[in-house]
Amino acid sequence: MKKHLILTGFMGSGKTTTGRVLAARLGWEFLDTDELIVQRLGISIPEVFARYGEGYFRQVEAQICAEVSERTRPTVIALGGGALLNPETRKLLETRGRIFCLVCDLDELIRRVQHGEGEVQSRPLFQAERARLEMLLNARRPIYERYPQVDTTRSTPEEVAEEILRLWNTLR
Ligand code: S3P
């Protein structure tokens, strides 16, 4: 049963902020897989990448995604931007939840991440020049395009949440 409401999208697209708004609107619990990884390992995401590498981060991320998908109570789940690259995670979350993708113009993503306090530092994969970020975004597009997309470039988190709730009600 598609019980959970799940958000994917590139780094800086607004998954966590919008997820919190959605959870408040629905009266559901909110979980962010990056936060759960940090809690589980007791170190920050850049430290996980630096000490153990991206491969280990992805293993823990897949495990956390499997665990949250098993929750009995419907939950709003914000994923890390790369979580759905794993085909098993994708299959599991597509079964257990309705996934929406937040999209945003790359220049606005860069502006948001660079202006947020500590935001670039907390995202090892964002520490790259624009051309590399564009390549990463393009490589991920086929995954992101599997899901209904909501453009956040010129919208507030409340407007984005509103649009997702509208889609959620038409899709269930
Ligand atoms: C990643 C996105 C990050 C975090 C990690 C890797 C990615 O989450 O999971 O740094 O591969 O896109 P956000 O999308 O919440 O920034």
Side-chain angles (χ1 to χ4, degrees):
M1 184 195 156
K2 290 189 189 297
K3 180 167 45 188
H4 307 306
L5 195 163
I6 303 172
L7 300 179
T8 188
F10 205 61
M11 295 168 275
S13 58
K15 302 178 293 280
T16 303
T17 319
T18 305
R20 287 190 200 285
V21 175
L22 281 166
R25 289 281 301 271
L26 291 162
W28 292 6
E29 202 175 331
F30 171 72
L31 289 177
D32 178 298
T33 58
D34 285 338
E35 281 174 18
L36 296 174
I37 294 168
V38 170
Q39 278 171 24
R40 171 89 35 111
L41 299 179
I43 53 176
S44 69
I45 289 176
E47 278 177 274
V48 181
F49 272 68
R51 280 200 216 169
Y52 307 113
E54 184 177 347
Y56 179 71
F57 173 82
R58 296 297 174 201
Q59 276 176 36
V60 178
E61 181 176 55
Q63 175 63 33
I64 296 278
C65 286
E67 289 172 18
V68 296
S69 78
E70 297 289 349
R71 290 173 63 85
T72 47
R73 288 166 68 188
T75 303
V76 177
I77 303 165
L79 300 173
L84 295 178
L85 298 174
N86 178 319
E88 280 171 27
T89 300
R90 224 156 53 218
K91 216 163 117 191
L92 196 59
L93 294 183
E94 284 175 5
T95 313
R96 305 277 162 77
R98 179 74 70 188
I99 304 175
F100 298 90
C101 180
L102 302 189
V103 297
C104 182
D105 287 352
L106 182 56
D107 289 316
E108 172 63 12
L109 286 174
I110 292 170
R111 198 195 59 77
R112 285 183 195 171
V113 174
Q114 284 180 347
H115 284 84
E117 184 81 6
E119 291 269 321
V120 180
Q121 288 82 344
S122 71
R123 292 182 165 107
L125 297 182
F126 213 93
Q127 291 160 22
E129 59 199 31
R130 190 187 187 286
R132 285 200 54 198
L133 290 172
E134 192 166 21
M135 275 170 57
L136 188 61
L137 182 55
N138 285 337
R140 289 180 176 186
R141 222 179 281 281
I143 302 288
Y144 292 152
E145 284 179 349
R146 293 167 70 96
Y147 310 106
Q149 305 211 333
V150 177
D151 194 333
T152 74
T153 311
R154 282 168 208 85
S155 305
T156 63
E158 288 70 23
E159 288 166 340
V160 176
E162 192 64 45
E163 175 62 5
I164 290 173
L165 288 174
R166 196 189 62 72
L167 291 169
W168 170 261
N169 286 323
T170 59
L171 289 169
R172 38 209 320 248

